[in-house]
Amino acid sequence: MCGEFEEQGLYQKEQITDMGSVTAHSAAGSIHCLTVIGQIEGHQLLPETSKTTKYEHVMPLLAAVEESDEIEGLLILLNTVGGDIEAGLGIAELIAGMKKPTASLVLGGGHSIGVPLAVSARRSFIAPSASMTIHPVRLTGVVIGVQQTYNYFARVQERIVQFVTANSRISAEQFTAYMTRTGELANDVGSVVYGEEAVESGLIDTLGGLSDALAYLHGEIDRRKAEEQAAQTSALRGE
């Protein structure tokens, strides 16, 4: 028995070290915890000195969580400065498309493309001290100064606005206003929204911490189990 616990503990350490994630099993249910930290890395490798979340790791992991018979819920812990737009949106779309209970918790910061990730879960939480930076689409490197480039920026920005408003209670007008606000960010356009304002605007569902997010997931897991049991009972009765 002792060896079994040691083996499980070693596996959890490997999960945390390799993937920044861990599956916690308890009497209340099995929840997989995924951390999204630093910069979200896309097609370009970032320097080794940067903390990164790699989309090629996270995407198959999410698919495995959704298909797992053991894992009953997903908790996403966010403290990210943003990163690659397509990688971030891809991860967010996967989370939004999951049938299992999902909850996100913004700790520290959920900036830039971290905003769609925060709202992608079924229920979003934010710590009172956490912040979220909302700004227009930005690209680094060589940019061709033609109308087509600006049209591309506008279309990408529209995708982000549509995703955020579809997965939260904030209006497109309010979110766009946050994006284009001037005078708040030094040398930039946009807004910094803190915990209470994020909830009041409808961007995030509720203020809370780790215990609140876990309580929500456990409640959803219990509800799903009750529904499945009721369906089985009805089938046995021939209803």
Side-chain angles (χ1 to χ4, degrees):
M1 191 69 167
C2 182
E4 184 178 330
F5 280 123
E6 288 179 357
E7 185 177 341
Q8 183 177 352
L10 181 61
Y11 175 67
Q12 287 184 337
K13 286 181 181 179
E14 289 177 351
Q15 274 190 308
I16 294 171
T17 302
D18 297 338
M19 303 291 293
S21 66
V22 67
T23 302
H25 303 280
S26 70
S30 298
I31 294 174
H32 188 86
C33 176
L34 170 67
T35 58
V36 178
I37 60 166
Q39 285 187 269
I40 298 162
E41 191 176 81
H43 304 302
Q44 302 296 322
L45 287 175
L46 293 171
E48 292 184 0
T49 53
S50 299
K51 290 282 187 181
T52 62
T53 297
K54 299 180 183 295
Y55 82 107
E56 70 269 26
H57 291 173
V58 175
M59 286 184 168
L61 176 64
L62 290 173
V65 168
E66 179 74 346
E67 280 293 288
S68 173
D69 293 328
E70 296 182 358
I71 299 172
E72 298 169 289
L74 174 68
L75 173 64
I76 306 107
L77 301 180
L78 286 155
N79 188 4
T80 176
V81 296
D84 187 276
I85 293 173
E86 291 187 350
L89 272 180
I91 295 170
E93 289 282 10
L94 278 176
I95 296 170
M98 295 178 70
K99 290 184 178 180
K100 289 186 176 178
T102 57
S104 65
L105 174 58
V106 181
L107 299 160
H111 305 298
S112 192
I113 202 62
V115 175
L117 285 166
V119 304
S120 64
R122 200 76 56 84
R123 186 78 172 172
S124 58
F125 297 81
I126 187 170
S129 62
S131 62
M132 306 179 79
T133 303
I134 304 167
H135 59 71
V137 171
R138 297 177 299 190
L139 292 180
T140 57
V142 177
V143 177
I144 302 174
V146 294
Q147 186 59 45
Q148 289 90 331
T149 300
Y150 300 109
N151 292 342
Y152 171 74
F153 281 6
R155 291 175 67 184
V156 172
Q157 191 161 298
E158 185 180 353
R159 287 165 56 200
I160 294 171
V161 173
Q162 287 177 347
F163 182 88
V164 171
T165 54
N167 290 278
S168 69
R169 294 176 290 106
I170 196 170
S171 66
E173 293 76 15
Q174 177 67 69
F175 190 70
T176 302
Y178 277 140
M179 266 187 167
T180 56
R181 182 181 293 174
T182 59
E184 183 166 334
L185 299 180
N187 303 319
D188 204 349
V189 177
S191 306
V192 179
V193 180
Y194 292 91
E196 289 186 8
E197 185 179 357
V199 175
E200 289 172 0
S201 68
L203 181 61
I204 298 296
D205 291 322
T206 185
L207 286 174
L210 179 60
S211 60
D212 301 299
L214 289 172
Y216 165 78
L217 287 173
H218 290 149
E220 286 297 292
I221 290 169
D222 289 342
R223 183 184 63 80
R224 282 170 59 101
K225 287 179 178 177
E227 289 177 353
E228 289 173 0
Q229 187 172 3
Q232 290 175 358
T233 302
S234 297
L236 289 173
R237 290 175 179 174
E239 296 177 358

